[in-house]
Amino acid sequence: MENMSCSSFVSVIAVCIVALFPQNSVSIIDGHNLSHAEKAAFIAEYFIQHEVESHYVFESVISSRDLAQHISSGNKTSATPELLDALSSYILVSLPVFLRNQIVQGIVEVFADEAGNAYQRTNLKLDSSQTFSNDDIRLICSEFDYVRALTRSITTAKPLIQQYRQENDSTVYIILLNKAIEMTAYIISTPSFQTVMDIVVDELSQGFMKSGLPERIAKEGTGFLNDILAIVKTVIESSNIQRLISRSYIASKPDLDSLYNGDTFFLYATLMSAIFTQEEAAGNIIFQIIEADFLKTYNEKYNGDIEYLLNDPFNTYGNVLKEMDLAATVLPLLGSGGARTMLPYNSSIEQDKISEVCYDDTMDFIDAVIGQKEWALQLLDAQGKVPSGLLDGNWNFLGAMDQCLDIKPDMKSNEVIGNTRRPAGTRFCRVVIPFIQNLTEEEIYSRVTWGVCVPDTCTGSDVYGILKLDAFGNYTEALGYVECITESDLAQDLPAIITLIVIGFIVLLMISGSLYVAMETRGFISNNHETVNREVDIASKDEYTKDNDADLKRNENDDNNCKRNGTNLSEHYVQYSECNKPVLNIPPNNDEVQPNAAANGNDSTTHAMPNANVQHKRKKEGVLISIIKAFSVQINIPKILSTNTASGTVRCLHGIRFVTITWVILIHSYAFGIIHNHSQVWYLANPLVILTLQQRFSFHGVMAANSAVDTFFMMSGMLLSYTQLKNMQKLKAKLTGSNVAQYVFHYFFHRIWRLTPLYVMVLVIHATLTEHISSGPFLPSVFQFRNSCKKNWWTNMLYINNIVHQEEQCMGWSWYLANDMQFYIVSLVILFLMMLKMQIGILVSVMLLLVGMVNSGLNRYEIQGTQLTNFDSDSNYWRDIYIAPWCRVGAYMVGILFGVFLQKQPRKPFNKLIGFAGWTIATAVALTLKYSLYSFNREGGEPWSKLQYAIYEAFDRPVWAMCVCWVVFACHNYMGGPVDSLLSWRGLVPLSRLTFAAYLIHPVVMIIQGSSRFATHYLSDYSMIYLNLGHITVSFMAAFVLSLALESPFITLEKLLV
């Protein structure tokens, strides 16, 4: 038994003995004609003749016996003596067969050959009489090419591998396996090996945490950890092995590419397929496709000679891959393989991390598309696609956002399309690739915007990471950022909720007031029926519309209208009498319109001398009822829509206001309608056309709209000086401290009360509700103005937003109100100077006019640029010239001086020659101002010098204001002809009253409309006319609602307060 137990060890020694036998001896032993006794005698004879070999064989046999005894004695192992005997017998019987196997002989031959090559590389000099020392062996081992020996052995063992894999030809598999061995050996020898080890530890640690073992340890202790194999299996199964390999590949890719002398990604992807698709039905199909194409290409290139693969598999494999028809290979692969095979998670975890749930859901979506599921094909159809018109700047590949969000993945609850659960839903994201476009000597910030429909478990950073996967190579190198559009949650937005509550309260007041007036009118409320009818009749006849109307009357009529129960100063004269009216304002160019007497529909005479019945009724009703009735729709609608005006007024002002606000809306249709938010996304399908617009002569009429605000400034100053000079004279007659204080109080209270409520409401709506109303693929990821409103709203309330935090204005167009309020404050000083000494007041006005011109010219001399770049909110031109009060005061002072002239000059017709000369000069000057810019904007035009720009900027605005003054003067003095007829048309009176509200709300309408687009806008003359008419219509509709809800009621409430 003892001899049998050690026979297995002795058999190993026998292999070495055979190698020592001379060739002639081996041939004798190989024969089968010897008896057992003769074979034993032969071996004994050999050992007698070779004492050294005999000694070592004897020592080996004794050591083997001792080892066998050690194993079997005391039953130290689970192996019984019977089992050891059986194993020994099996080895003795099988060993000859094993040694005679051609594959084993080939492998031994490979190792012997590689050992010989290693020996030759050591330069050792040994003869048959010498034996190797330990140092010699270590030297030979250091030169031994284990990788080559292993890969050659695997190639030699091809029949055995094919038998195991049940394949007819495993050539491709063997090549891949050999490549994996080469890569592994190379990686171990590189500095990146430590990084790979860290990745392995990290991934296995994550697998350990997910395996449930920590919880089990906490409950049961560590006793169950004795089963190491089960623990390791659990950790590996809980780890993301695919990601582990992907991260390891990324870390070692530079070394692998260096080894391969090229990009190893396809090799890696193929290897990943071999590893992770073997258990899938599609796995074998994938390999069959790759193998078939590989062998086809190989046979064509090397005439089917397998020796190239066997002798130089590395370079041969690479050469064949370069010649393969990859397109023909990949297309069927897409139909049979999974998305995880084609898009393995192999990007940099640190820089482009992707959440596991997003990656898995995205791969499931792609698998569903490959599987041609109907809902998945809808998802594919919703993706953005390259449109036509790229050379015109059509870089918006938007896709179909509404279709994307409507898709409901039709997957059964237990269905798994990759390795994971069913996806939850969809969301729409914009992939932005920015670049700088150099055109017409301008650097235009441009971008490609690609709309993608992704699982709703993905964020913008997840989508960015997916697009950075190595499968996309360098194609996504220029990727800028990804932003996913998220529908705003109104329920979580407290400021928006508060705004809606305030709006609801105002609506409640309107309903209550309307119901109360209706009941009064029908006699349900006693003693007031006649009074209510009287109020409604007054409103319908527009006796109400004279209060703050900037209409100019002849002095004698004004004097009468200023009186109330005598010639003494009334406590209400500043607010209600036309001659005492402190402000009349309208819209500006880039931003706002201010209420104006006529625009608000009030008349000084009516309210200065209210009807006795009305006064009696108010006393009877009380303040609360009067407040509620102020919001009555039946009373306010006639006020707004009445076309009546006071006799002797300058009716052309109504037309000028309306034309000017439509001019403002026109330029803003470009600024807010198609260019707004261009730093995030373009609304246009042909944005490069913008660069050529200013080269057109006709477009300068649109560009000239920046002077529209100067028209408003001029009218504001004119109406202020005209209406207040007579009041100042009355004040001069009763010049006491109390009268001055009363005048100043009403001067400012009237102004603030008329402007602020509507201004605040539009600002709040803009800041809190715009993002909730807007919806579409153009929706900005962040509404920047909301943050600006949150931080800087107080600058608007103080009317200083044009000089404080100008770059972060809440309502960019509200700079006009700030300027106008500041001019209004300064004008009070001028009015007092004019009251004391007219010449001094005029001199100060002229000096301020010159200051504005000089500042504009000097600043423009230093600030260069074109119309295309000057109007960004953060540009120096915008901040230091366009909205700066010390540069815009010129037009206002022109209006102040013109109002003085008009007040002193009685209304009368002039000689026709004077009228003709005035119209000719004013028209020629105005057209020259607005179209002179064409000289350098036109194609091939000569650029202006800094001095030319400065001179133009200095004279442009005040001279334009003077031209408008002529229009007012001519129309007022019967020299307007058809112009006066058009501007004085009664149908424009209601629209004139809405100009302030229209100015405030129209940019909000445009921002909502632009952010809610689902398709790009193609810029053309017709499309812009259509768009502008739509903006005008909707803006005035919104203005009507605002005026009905706030502006008109607050005019009535003013009379209750003062």
Side-chain angles (χ1 to χ4, degrees):
M1 177 68 68
E2 181 177 325
N3 292 334
M4 289 295 294
S5 299
C6 62
S7 62
S8 60
F9 301 99
V10 175
S11 64
V12 177
I13 303 302
V15 177
C16 301
I17 294 174
V18 173
L20 298 175
F21 285 164
Q23 295 297 320
N24 59 346
S25 299
V26 175
S27 63
I28 294 175
I29 294 176
D30 286 343
H32 297 281
N33 55 344
L34 298 179
S35 65
H36 293 298
E38 290 174 331
K39 293 177 182 178
F42 178 82
I43 294 174
E45 179 67 21
Y46 178 83
F47 283 131
I48 292 173
Q49 295 177 3
H50 298 82
E51 295 181 0
V52 177
E53 287 85 347
S54 300
H55 170 74
Y56 288 116
V57 169
F58 177 79
E59 292 294 332
S60 298
V61 171
I62 295 301
S63 300
S64 300
R65 183 199 62 185
D66 294 341
L67 178 60
Q69 290 177 346
H70 176 75
I71 293 175
S72 60
S73 63
N75 195 23
K76 295 181 179 179
T77 67
S78 59
T80 63
E82 292 78 12
L83 176 62
L84 292 174
D85 288 343
L87 290 174
S88 299
S89 299
Y90 175 78
I91 293 174
L92 287 174
V93 173
S94 302
L95 186 60
V97 178
F98 178 76
L99 293 177
R100 290 190 178 98
N101 186 280
Q102 293 182 353
I103 295 177
V104 174
Q105 291 176 356
I107 293 174
V108 173
E109 180 182 353
V110 167
F111 274 86
D113 180 52
E114 291 297 334
N117 293 333
Y119 169 74
Q120 293 177 5
R121 287 192 291 271
T122 60
N123 296 322
L124 292 174
K125 301 299 182 182
L126 299 174
D127 55 41
S128 58
S129 63
Q130 291 179 315
T131 183
F132 287 113
S133 66
N134 290 335
D135 291 339
D136 293 337
I137 293 297
R138 278 194 293 268
L139 181 60
I140 293 175
C141 289
S142 66
E143 294 293 335
F144 190 87
D145 191 344
Y146 294 96
V147 174
R148 182 172 174 81
L150 186 57
T151 55
R152 288 180 62 188
S153 299
I154 291 174
T155 303
T156 303
K158 178 181 178 181
L160 185 62
I161 294 174
Q162 290 181 166
Q163 181 181 358
Y164 170 75
R165 300 186 73 245
Q166 298 181 353
E167 289 184 344
N168 295 328
D169 189 354
S170 294
T171 302
V172 174
Y173 181 83
I174 291 173
I175 293 174
L176 294 176
L177 189 58
N178 286 338
K179 289 297 180 183
I181 294 172
E182 291 178 1
M183 289 183 182
T184 303
Y186 183 78
I187 289 174
I188 293 175
S189 65
T190 61
S192 60
F193 177 71
Q194 184 58 49
T195 304
V196 173
M197 291 297 99
D198 293 340
I199 291 173
V200 172
V201 172
D202 176 54
E203 290 293 344
L204 292 180
S205 298
Q206 294 183 41
F208 175 75
M209 298 304 296
K210 294 179 181 179
S211 65
L213 291 175
E215 293 80 3
R216 186 177 175 187
I217 292 173
K219 292 182 179 180
E220 304 177 17
T222 59
F224 70 94
L225 295 178
N226 294 329
D227 191 354
I228 300 298
L229 291 179
I231 298 301
V232 171
K233 180 181 178 182
T234 301
V235 171
I236 292 177
E237 289 177 348
S238 301
S239 301
N240 191 330
I241 300 301
Q242 183 176 0
R243 188 173 66 188
L244 185 153
I245 297 176
S246 299
R247 292 180 63 187
S248 301
Y249 170 73
I250 288 296
S252 57
K253 189 175 186 298
D255 294 325
L256 295 174
D257 290 346
S258 175
L259 171 67
Y260 181 69
N261 195 25
D263 193 344
T264 57
F265 172 71
F266 185 80
L267 180 64
Y268 158 77
T270 308
L271 181 61
M272 290 287 286
S273 301
I275 295 174
F276 292 102
T277 60
Q278 289 301 301
E279 297 180 359
E280 300 179 8
N284 290 329
I285 301 176
I286 293 174
F287 275 99
Q288 290 173 11
I289 294 174
I290 296 177
E291 184 178 21
D293 191 57
F294 181 89
L295 292 177
K296 174 185 175 183
T297 307
Y298 180 86
N299 291 332
E300 292 175 353
K301 185 174 181 63
Y302 296 103
N303 297 322
D305 190 351
I306 199 68
E307 290 299 322
Y308 290 96
L309 273 177
L310 297 178
N311 296 332
D312 190 6
F314 194 83
N315 291 324
T316 303
Y317 179 77
N319 292 334
V320 172
L321 281 181
K322 293 177 182 178
E323 304 239 350
M324 285 174 62
D325 186 357
L326 294 180
T329 304
V330 170
L331 288 177
L333 184 63
L334 288 175
S336 59
R340 290 166 178 80
T341 301
M342 301 308 299
L343 297 174
Y345 188 173
N346 56 7
S347 72
S348 171
I349 294 298
E350 290 74 18
Q351 297 179 4
D352 307 319
K353 189 173 182 179
I354 312 169
S355 68
E356 288 190 33
V357 63
C358 171
Y359 175 78
D360 289 336
D361 285 350
T362 302
M363 296 304 105
D364 288 347
F365 272 34
I366 297 176
D367 286 338
V369 171
I370 296 173
Q372 297 186 5
K373 291 181 176 291
E374 182 178 354
W375 66 266
L377 295 179
Q378 293 178 2
L379 182 141
L380 179 64
D381 183 53
Q383 308 295 332
K385 302 168 186 64
V386 179
S388 58
L390 294 177
L391 296 181
D392 283 337
N394 190 13
W395 304 311
N396 284 320
F397 313 159
L398 288 179
M401 176 180 171
D402 50 346
Q403 178 178 328
C404 170
L405 298 181
D406 288 340
I407 294 174
K408 298 295 184 290
D410 183 17
M411 300 171 63
K412 299 177 182 178
S413 59
N414 60 349
E415 183 177 6
V416 177
I417 296 186
N419 300 322
T420 60
R421 59 179 181 76
R422 66 185 294 267
T426 56
R427 74 184 310 180
F428 188 83
C429 300
R430 288 194 302 258
V431 179
V432 178
I433 305 174
F435 61 93
I436 300 297
Q437 184 76 14
N438 294 305
L439 292 170
T440 64
E441 300 181 355
E442 296 287 347
E443 283 194 349
I444 305 300
Y445 180 76
S446 305
R447 74 204 60 80
V448 172
T449 303
W450 175 34
V452 294
C453 189
V454 299
D456 62 358
T457 52
C458 295
T459 64
S461 60
D462 290 331
V463 178
Y464 181 89
I466 290 175
L467 293 175
K468 282 292 187 178
L469 291 175
D470 283 357
F472 295 104
N474 296 327
Y475 293 106
T476 58
E477 182 178 0
L479 183 65
Y481 58 91
V482 178
E483 52 186 12
C484 292
I485 297 176
T486 304
E487 294 293 333
S488 57
D489 187 358
L490 181 61
Q492 301 299 320
D493 191 344
L494 181 59
I497 293 175
I498 294 175
T499 301
L500 291 176
I501 292 174
V502 172
I503 294 175
F505 179 71
I506 294 173
V507 172
L508 179 62
L509 287 176
M510 295 175 65
I511 295 174
S512 300
S514 300
L515 290 176
Y516 189 90
V517 170
M519 288 188 294
E520 274 192 330
T521 304
R522 288 163 177 76
F524 293 110
I525 298 179
S526 61
N527 301 325
N528 290 320
H529 174 70
E530 183 178 345
T531 302
V532 172
N533 287 338
R534 169 66 176 166
E535 275 193 346
V536 175
D537 184 60
I538 289 173
S540 65
K541 292 181 179 179
D542 197 37
E543 295 178 7
Y544 189 102
T545 63
K546 303 170 187 175
D547 173 21
N548 279 330
D549 191 345
D551 296 337
L552 305 176
K553 302 182 180 181
R554 299 188 62 173
N555 294 344
E556 56 273 19
N557 291 336
D558 291 331
D559 291 337
N560 294 329
N561 290 334
C562 292
K563 297 176 182 179
R564 180 184 180 207
N565 299 328
T567 58
N568 61 319
L569 291 174
S570 164
E571 61 177 354
H572 298 304
Y573 80 89
V574 175
Q575 284 84 355
Y576 306 135
S577 64
E578 179 146 7
C579 56
N580 301 323
K581 175 176 99 48
V583 220
L584 337 119
N585 279 326
I586 306 201
N589 164 316
N590 268 358
D591 293 32
E592 305 252 16
V593 179
Q594 301 182 336
N596 160 320
N600 295 330
N602 296 316
D603 179 63
S604 56
T605 306
T606 301
H607 298 287
M609 297 182 294
N611 181 277
N613 291 334
V614 176
Q615 289 184 339
H616 175 71
K617 171 190 69 67
R618 286 181 178 171
K619 291 179 181 178
K620 188 174 182 179
E621 289 177 340
V623 176
L624 181 60
I625 297 301
S626 298
I627 292 175
I628 293 176
K629 289 180 64 176
F631 290 86
S632 169
V633 172
Q634 300 97 313
I635 294 176
N636 290 325
I637 287 180
K639 295 178 186 177
I640 298 172
L641 299 183
S642 175
T643 61
N644 297 324
T645 59
S647 60
T649 60
V650 182
R651 295 176 60 183
C652 68
L653 288 179
H654 296 289
I656 293 176
R657 291 187 191 112
F658 175 73
V659 170
T660 304
I661 190 61
T662 57
W663 203 15
V664 170
I665 295 176
L666 173 61
I667 189 63
H668 283 175
S669 293
Y670 287 89
F672 291 100
I674 61 176
I675 302 178
H676 179 70
N677 201 39
H678 68 277
S679 62
Q680 295 190 50
V681 62
W682 280 106
Y683 297 149
L684 289 179
N686 55 337
L688 296 185
V689 174
I690 294 177
L691 301 175
T692 62
L693 284 178
Q694 59 185 352
Q695 298 176 2
R696 296 171 48 185
F697 181 81
S698 59
F699 190 70
H700 281 70
V702 177
M703 294 171 59
N706 64 77
S707 293
V709 70
D710 296 297
T711 301
F712 290 128
F713 279 141
M714 187 282 298
M715 287 194 296
S716 182
M718 176 196 72
L719 295 171
L720 179 63
S721 62
Y722 180 84
T723 58
Q724 292 302 311
L725 281 178
K726 294 182 294 295
N727 295 333
M728 299 302 293
Q729 295 303 318
K730 291 181 173 57
L731 179 62
K732 185 177 180 181
K734 300 281 187 175
L735 193 59
T736 63
S738 60
N739 282 343
V740 171
Q742 187 183 56
Y743 178 88
V744 173
F745 170 77
H746 289 301
Y747 182 88
F748 287 113
F749 177 81
H750 171 84
R751 176 73 164 187
I752 295 172
W753 183 265
R754 292 296 175 87
L755 297 185
T756 306
L758 185 58
Y759 182 20
V760 171
M761 178 53 67
V762 174
L763 185 145
V764 169
I765 291 174
H766 175 60
T768 63
L769 298 183
T770 298
E771 65 176 295
H772 297 291
I773 300 173
S774 305
S775 177
F778 290 103
L779 189 70
S781 57
V782 176
F783 280 91
Q784 297 295 342
F785 61 77
R786 176 154 190 174
N787 294 330
S788 299
C789 292
K790 184 177 181 180
K791 293 189 300 182
N792 302 321
W793 60 269
W794 57 273
T795 63
N796 295 80
M797 298 300 93
L798 297 178
Y799 293 92
I800 57 173
N801 50 293
N802 62 325
I803 55 178
V804 178
H805 299 306
Q806 308 99 312
E807 297 85 358
E808 296 181 296
Q809 292 194 51
C810 177
M811 289 169 55
W813 60 100
S814 63
W815 68 268
Y816 168 81
L817 283 180
N819 274 271
D820 199 78
M821 180 62 78
Q822 292 155 16
F823 299 157
Y824 184 78
I825 295 171
V826 172
S827 297
L828 181 61
V829 177
I830 296 176
L831 290 173
F832 273 104
L833 291 175
M834 288 182 174
M835 178 188 71
L836 300 176
K837 188 72 172 179
M838 179 61 68
Q839 292 83 347
I840 297 177
I842 292 176
L843 178 61
V844 172
S845 300
V846 172
M847 290 177 63
L848 289 176
L849 169 61
L850 295 176
V851 167
M853 295 176 64
V854 171
N855 279 329
S856 298
L858 292 178
N859 289 348
R860 190 67 177 93
Y861 186 83
E862 298 296 332
I863 300 173
Q864 297 302 303
T866 67
Q867 196 86 348
L868 194 64
T869 60
N870 275 340
F871 288 96
D872 290 335
S873 60
D874 58 348
S875 71
N876 292 334
Y877 180 87
W878 171 266
R879 182 183 63 252
D880 297 334
I881 298 178
Y882 195 77
I883 68 173
W886 42 85
C887 293
R888 302 307 298 263
V889 70
Y892 198 92
M893 290 300 108
V894 169
I896 290 285
L897 295 172
F898 180 60
V900 173
F901 170 78
L902 209 60
Q903 202 267 344
K904 300 296 182 181
Q905 174 65 41
R907 184 181 185 187
K908 64 179 181 179
F910 285 80
N911 187 284
K912 291 185 179 180
L913 183 60
I914 295 177
F916 177 79
W919 279 107
T920 302
I921 295 173
T923 303
V925 171
L927 292 177
T928 300
L929 282 173
K930 299 299 107 181
Y931 285 91
S932 59
L933 298 176
Y934 178 72
S935 63
F936 71 87
N937 282 330
R938 63 185 175 86
E939 186 175 3
E942 291 293 331
W944 280 11
S945 67
K946 297 170 68 173
L947 181 60
Q948 286 175 298
Y949 273 122
I951 294 174
Y952 180 84
E953 191 70 38
F955 285 92
D956 176 33
R957 306 186 190 287
V959 173
W960 171 264
M962 294 177 188
C963 295
V964 179
C965 287
W966 165 259
V967 176
V968 175
F969 178 79
C971 292
H972 185 58
N973 289 281
Y974 313 106
M975 294 182 290
V979 175
D980 184 37
S981 299
L982 177 63
L983 296 178
S984 300
W985 179 49
R986 296 171 64 90
L988 298 178
V989 174
L991 297 175
S992 174
R993 295 193 183 101
L994 298 174
T995 51
F996 177 52
Y999 182 82
L1000 286 175
I1001 198 62
H1002 80 272
V1004 180
V1005 170
M1006 293 178 182
I1007 292 173
I1008 294 174
Q1009 190 269 341
S1011 300
S1012 301
R1013 294 176 184 269
F1014 278 82
T1016 53
H1017 176 84
Y1018 189 86
L1019 182 61
S1020 66
D1021 292 341
Y1022 175 79
S1023 67
M1024 287 309 301
I1025 291 172
Y1026 197 86
L1027 180 66
N1028 184 57
L1029 290 175
H1031 285 158
I1032 291 173
T1033 302
V1034 177
S1035 297
F1036 270 91
M1037 290 172 62
F1040 176 78
V1041 174
L1042 287 171
S1043 183
L1044 186 64
L1046 285 171
E1047 190 174 16
S1048 186
F1050 271 81
I1051 290 173
T1052 304
L1053 291 177
E1054 183 182 10
K1055 299 164 179 57
L1056 299 176
L1057 295 176
V1058 193

